[in-house]
Amino acid sequence: MLRLRQNLVPYGFLLPYLLIFLLFWAYPLIRSLLDSFDDSRILGFGFTPANWTRLFSDPFFMTALKNTLVILAIQVPSMLALAIGLAIALNSEVLKAKGFYRFAFFAPLVVGTTAYSAIFRLIFNTQYGAVNHGLNALGLPSVDWLNQGTPALIVIMLAITWRWTGYNAIILLAGLQSISKDVYEAAAIDGASKWTTFWKITLPLMRPSILFCTVLSVFGTLQLFTESALITAGGPGNATMTLGTYLYQQGFRSFNFGYASSIAYAVAILGAFVSWIQLRLLGRDNT
Amino acid sequence: MSTPRPLQKEQAMIQNPVRSSVLQSTLLHVFLTILALLFLAPLYLMLVYATHPDNGIYSGALWFGSEAVNNFKNLQADTNFLRAMGNSIIIAVLYTAVSLMLTSMAGFAFTKYEFWGKNFWFGVILATLAIPVFVTIIPQYILMARNFHLTNTYWAVILPTLANTMGIFYMRQAFLTVHTDLLNAARIDGASEWRVFWQIALPVVRPAMAALAILLFLSSWNDYLWPLLVLNNKDAYTIPVALGTLVGLTRVSWGGIMMGTALSTVPFLILFVIAQRQIISGVAGGSVKG
């Protein structure tokens, strides 16, 4: 009896979470997989791969996919390079006024997506935005930021970079600080230059935290929604439509739950695939 | 193994370390300061714009104006902002409290007990970290709207987000630092398992919980997509949803919107200054620990 009670105790602690988890995660996970194969014209469940095959011939999905991949290929590496630089700079012993820099780079991490989307939409406005005011003051012409495809995509990427660089820098800084000082002393004794030390010691030893940041950023980018919805409303045309905004449109504007579910699973598969590549590239001989 | 050339270069630097390091340090500071000002600019402009009428914003105001009160009145008239703020506060407080409770109980079970299916459950829960929210959001919405009829309630916003994997992972890391001997001592004294958890283990991990609480509160405060789906009544809006409806309009009062973003952001900027250490350790603690 006592033994049984002891065995049930941990389940008592786990149960409230587990119930929520099963109801709001496990069930929806399976449900949306089924929905993605469901023929909505048939009452009850009717199996059809139509939602999945439709993805490949849907120009809107392809545009959303392309936009998301472009952001993935340009914004994520640029932001991580910047974050690595920041982490190393903030870790530097010669750096003064660390409090100020920390505030400047880490403050965006408490700002919500809606709030910064509003700010970026305003400051990149073509007629009266602060950015064009600044360009004009420097004698440069205004750019029609939000009404042209490439500039609009650049604004989105700048906004995400502004919001998430500090967040990544914190994680990288923690990784950096866990590297033993002995390694650097040994390198200094061997006469390694700062450049060599960075490439041969700092970067390889930061690999676990870089990998973590990359996976996190990739998942964040694949789930991009608010920035595209509020800064550019997916436009101009569909130039900044992301997988997230397209899914929202299909699921909650057209109430096409089956098709939206297959978009959702396409995002999940893409995420798993990209993470797998990252693990192969960055995770090798990871101790 | 080093070749003679870099060694000589290094020795040259050692012989004259002052000049090279002063130059490097100056460059570093100049570069970082420019970058820092660029990073602060959007926040600064938000504060400035919150105090200007729209024509002031359009003409490129760079210093504070005197229209803060009017902007707030417009904001309150456009969308019941105070109501939205009240909703946001209640939801964020409830979510943080319940989520801390659930994740710390689960984290405790995973670190301090051996039980059937332990690795299975932990594996399954961790695996959800790699699943985009999009995958679950549609059935979650259908559950809320059609099965539970909870749309436009606080619980509609809170319930699905309580399945917070990051929190469990974080609390598990925290409980790993609690010595089992300490818990056993309490057990020998006759404390129940619940008391061992509540009165012995929890107080030890309080600093970790504070950091997690800030992150949970922030994530709830700033959440947009899920509340947008389950709240469609103006009186039920949270701040992000209320602001989102304004940003999407064609004729907008930017002064009002900037006042709204400032009011929803400034408290956390102040909190960041006060609780910098906790917030930073919270973010770092969510990452892989060696």
Side-chain angles (χ1 to χ4, degrees):
Chain A
M1 189 58 208
L2 186 73
R3 195 172 176 81
L4 182 71
R5 237 182 50 210
Q6 269 175 350
N7 284 334
L8 286 178
V9 164
Y11 273 101
F13 280 108
L14 206 52
L15 198 64
Y17 182 87
L18 226 45
L19 288 177
I20 299 266
F21 176 80
L22 291 174
L23 184 61
F24 290 108
W25 262 95
Y27 163 74
L29 209 63
I30 297 162
R31 181 60 199 267
S32 60
L33 183 64
L34 290 175
D35 282 350
S36 77
F37 285 103
D38 188 18
D39 189 341
S40 56
R41 289 164 304 180
I42 296 171
L43 210 64
F45 182 76
F47 176 84
T48 173
N51 289 323
W52 283 93
T53 49
R54 183 179 160 189
L55 285 177
F56 298 99
S57 56
D58 180 352
F60 296 108
F61 174 76
M62 286 299 164
T63 307
L65 181 66
K66 194 199 82 192
N67 292 338
T68 307
L69 291 179
V70 166
I71 297 173
L72 210 58
I74 299 173
Q75 192 270 335
V76 172
S78 320
M79 174 179 71
L80 290 181
L82 184 59
I84 291 171
L86 274 185
I88 289 170
L90 290 171
N91 199 35
S92 159
E93 278 161 17
V94 297
L95 192 70
K96 303 272 189 326
K98 277 186 183 157
F100 165 72
Y101 295 118
R102 233 182 259 146
F103 180 77
F105 297 120
F106 297 165
L109 102 123
V110 302
V111 181
T113 41
T114 327
Y116 83 81
S117 294
I119 301 169
F120 273 76
R121 186 180 170 125
L122 176 56
I123 61 180
F124 279 95
N125 187 289
T126 306
Q127 285 97 49
Y128 46 77
V131 174
N132 275 348
H133 277 307
L135 287 177
N136 295 339
L138 292 171
L140 296 165
S142 292
V143 176
D144 196 2
W145 290 107
L146 301 179
N147 301 312
Q148 287 181 298
T150 309
L153 211 53
I154 291 174
V155 173
I156 302 255
M157 290 196 263
L158 285 175
I160 310 167
T161 308
W162 180 80
R163 171 61 175 76
W164 291 100
T165 302
Y167 181 87
N168 286 294
I170 288 177
I171 293 168
L172 293 167
L173 193 56
L176 202 56
Q177 282 166 350
S178 69
I179 300 174
S180 159
K181 286 216 167 39
D182 301 350
V183 192
Y184 287 106
E185 277 165 20
I189 291 167
D190 282 351
S193 72
K194 277 189 173 168
W195 194 240
T196 318
T197 311
F198 171 74
W199 284 105
K200 295 275 162 84
I201 295 177
T202 310
L203 222 45
L205 287 176
M206 281 174 86
R207 198 156 61 194
S209 33
I210 294 174
L211 179 67
F212 183 76
C213 285
T214 323
V215 172
L216 225 58
S217 307
V218 166
F219 274 95
T221 304
L222 288 175
Q223 298 182 60
L224 213 58
F225 170 74
T226 314
E227 295 83 351
S228 161
L230 289 181
I231 301 179
T232 56
N238 289 313
T240 56
M241 185 171 66
T242 59
L243 293 168
T245 40
Y246 189 51
L247 179 136
Y248 178 77
Q249 218 177 70
Q250 284 298 324
F252 299 100
R253 285 283 164 267
S254 314
F255 294 100
N256 208 339
F257 290 139
Y259 190 47
S261 298
S262 59
I263 300 172
Y265 262 94
V267 173
I269 292 167
L270 198 62
F273 179 65
V274 179
S275 318
W276 178 73
I277 294 176
Q278 286 166 342
L279 279 170
R280 293 297 298 265
L281 289 178
L282 283 163
R284 72 196 139 93
D285 54 288
N286 198 351
T287 44
Chain B
M1 283 298 280
S2 59
T3 51
R5 193 180 283 271
L7 196 64
Q8 280 167 2
K9 199 169 134 197
E10 196 63 26
Q11 275 168 347
M13 270 172 71
I14 290 165
Q15 277 160 11
N16 196 351
V18 178
R19 217 166 75 201
S20 90
S21 74
V22 164
L23 181 70
Q24 277 178 359
S25 155
T26 312
L27 275 175
L28 177 75
H29 283 89
V30 169
F31 178 72
L32 270 191
T33 305
I34 293 170
L35 201 62
L37 293 177
L38 279 175
F39 265 72
L40 287 175
L43 291 177
Y44 174 76
L45 289 174
M46 168 188 79
L47 294 177
V48 167
Y49 292 163
T51 65
H52 278 282
D54 286 353
N55 55 24
I57 294 172
Y58 299 160
S59 59
L62 289 174
W63 189 246
F64 296 91
S66 54
E67 290 297 299
V69 175
N70 259 339
N71 281 343
F72 180 76
K73 280 180 187 159
N74 288 339
L75 175 71
Q76 180 62 20
D78 285 343
T79 177
N80 193 343
F81 190 79
L82 289 175
R83 174 82 198 229
M85 193 171 230
N87 291 336
S88 275
I89 291 172
I90 293 170
I91 287 171
V93 168
L94 261 177
Y95 168 71
T96 306
V98 179
S99 191
L100 271 185
M101 195 67 204
L102 295 186
T103 54
S104 58
M105 282 166 66
F108 187 67
F110 279 125
T111 42
K112 297 301 171 196
Y113 295 100
E114 288 305 323
F115 56 93
W116 183 83
K118 177 175 168 174
N119 290 333
F120 168 77
W121 284 120
F122 192 65
V124 169
I125 290 172
L126 261 196
T128 61
L129 269 179
I131 293 169
V133 291
F134 294 156
V135 173
T136 50
I137 212 162
I138 294 167
Q140 280 174 352
Y141 171 78
I142 297 172
L143 270 180
M144 272 305 156
R146 296 189 187 166
N147 298 65
F148 300 150
H149 303 287
L150 282 174
T151 327
N152 289 318
T153 65
Y154 294 143
W155 290 110
V157 183
I158 295 166
L159 278 173
T161 43
L162 285 175
N164 178 330
T165 310
M166 195 273 289
I168 288 215
F169 187 67
Y170 189 82
M171 288 314 295
R172 185 178 164 270
Q173 299 280 65
F175 280 119
L176 282 174
T177 65
V178 180
H179 283 292
T180 310
D181 295 349
L182 186 71
L183 309 181
N184 284 337
R187 285 183 182 122
I188 290 166
D189 289 345
S192 67
E193 292 303 308
W194 177 256
R195 254 186 96 171
V196 167
F197 164 72
W198 189 252
Q199 290 190 326
I200 313 291
L202 266 196
V204 180
V205 297
R206 206 179 281 153
M209 284 181 90
L212 181 61
I214 294 173
L215 294 186
L216 291 173
F217 194 94
L218 260 174
S219 74
S220 170
W221 186 264
N222 287 329
D223 196 10
Y224 176 61
L225 179 57
W226 178 249
L228 174 72
L229 297 180
V230 291
L231 306 176
N232 42 49
N233 176 345
K234 205 172 174 179
D235 283 338
Y237 282 173
T238 56
I239 292 177
V241 180
L243 284 177
T245 59
L246 294 185
V247 176
L249 295 177
T250 38
R251 212 202 70 77
V252 289
S253 156
W254 280 112
I257 295 175
M258 286 301 115
M259 180 47 96
T261 59
L263 285 175
S264 74
T265 306
V266 169
F268 294 99
L269 290 176
I270 295 168
L271 179 76
F272 181 79
V273 175
I274 298 167
Q276 213 184 87
R277 199 177 290 274
Q278 277 84 347
I279 294 176
I280 290 176
S281 80
V283 170
S287 67
V288 206
K289 271 186 181 164

